[in-house]
Amino acid sequence: MKPIISPSLLSADFANLQRDVEMLNRSEADWLHMDVMDGVFVPNISFGFPVLEAVSKISKKPLDVHLMIVKPERYVAQTAKCGAMMMTVHYEACTHLHRTVQEIHAAGMKAGVSLNPSTPVSVLEDIIGDVELVLLMSVNPGFGGQKFIENTIQKVQRLRQLIQQSGSHALIEVDGGVQADTAPRLVQAGTDALVSGSYIFKASDPIAVIRSLKELDTETKSV
Ligand code: DX5
Ligand code: ZN
């Protein structure tokens, strides 16, 4: 199975956002990953709903929205209004995750739950049947261009087991340090969707990099 590719707009040129979104429109990317940060849950601030709304008007790719904010349940309606396909919230940021997942569904979006690198996949046992996606952070969230945390490969394998045992249909997405040497290993370990920021946007030919990620499958040994 070929992976879903979700380029992270965090590494785009914010002075030329339209140009970069149009480049992604022409590429083989499946989704467009958008990182909202609040400077509280993570030590950085990125962009908010006005930017999401503007990008949704020009993006031909479904929006894969990753909220790195405290109490994300406050923004379910606003995220839906921006046309998000997927709303992913952090396990660590939600006191009543089950309720929040239900609210995301009621607003017409798919629901994702994200885990920080230090949070074990076992915490998902009682929610895995209710979500469409689990986003494993393979760096500590907040910044692009960080080094991939190797333990993520085992984490993907453990999550794959949990999904199989529970009969859940959740997709596994990995975010952080996804590039030439980590992407094939993640796909082989059972990752369905790859988020990649700096590897794509810092390349001289981002469309070719996206194609090379898209061509990966469980048989591929390298990009
Ligand atoms: C990090 C964000 C990522 C980030 C990934 O907190 O969630 O989506 O853009 O960037 P790279 O691919 O450069 O590690
Ligand atoms: Zn992200």
Side-chain angles (χ1 to χ4, degrees), residues 69-148:
I69 64 174
V70 296
K71 299 188 191 301
E73 64 275 9
R74 293 171 296 164
Y75 297 103
V76 173
Q78 242 175 307
T79 307
K81 195 167 156 268
C82 294
M85 172 273 299
M86 179 77 69
M87 174 170 168
T88 297
V89 298
H90 268 262
Y91 168 82
E92 302 85 357
C94 295
T95 309
H96 300 288
L97 180 59
H98 185 268
R99 176 184 291 146
T100 304
V101 165
Q102 287 177 310
E103 288 170 356
I104 293 171
H105 286 152
M109 297 177 286
K110 292 184 175 174
V113 58
S114 183
L115 299 184
N116 281 337
S118 65
T119 307
V121 298
S122 56
V123 302
L124 297 174
E125 226 170 272
D126 292 300
I127 196 73
I128 194 72
D130 296 295
V131 294
E132 283 74 39
L133 180 113
V134 176
L135 173 57
L136 295 181
M137 288 309 302
S138 39
V139 297
N140 286 294
F143 304 93
Q146 300 184 83
K147 192 177 176 319
F148 181 82

Side-chain angles (χ1 to χ4, degrees), residues 49-70:
F49 295 102
V51 174
L52 244 69
E53 204 168 349
V55 168
S56 80
K57 286 185 185 140
I58 54 171
S59 176
K60 292 184 180 156
K61 311 288 180 179
L63 300 190
D64 171 31
V65 179
H66 177 194
L67 296 175
M68 282 161 277
I69 64 174
V70 296

Side-chain angles (χ1 to χ4, degrees), residues 8 10 33 35 66 68 137 141-145 175-177 195-198:
S8 171
L10 190 64
H33 187 83
D35 292 299
H66 177 194
M68 282 161 277
M137 288 309 302
F143 304 93
D175 185 4
V195 176
S196 185
S198 49

Side-chain angles (χ1 to χ4, degrees), residues 5-7 13 15 26 36 43-44 50 52 85 122 132 139-140 147 149 152 169 171 175 184 212-213 217 219:
I5 308 302
S6 191
D13 178 356
R26 294 193 305 276
V36 178
N44 196 11
L52 244 69
M85 172 273 299
S122 56
E132 283 74 39
V139 297
N140 286 294
K147 192 177 176 319
I149 296 171
T152 312
H169 296 293
L171 295 172
D175 185 4
S212 71
L213 290 170
D217 59 41
E219 302 307 312

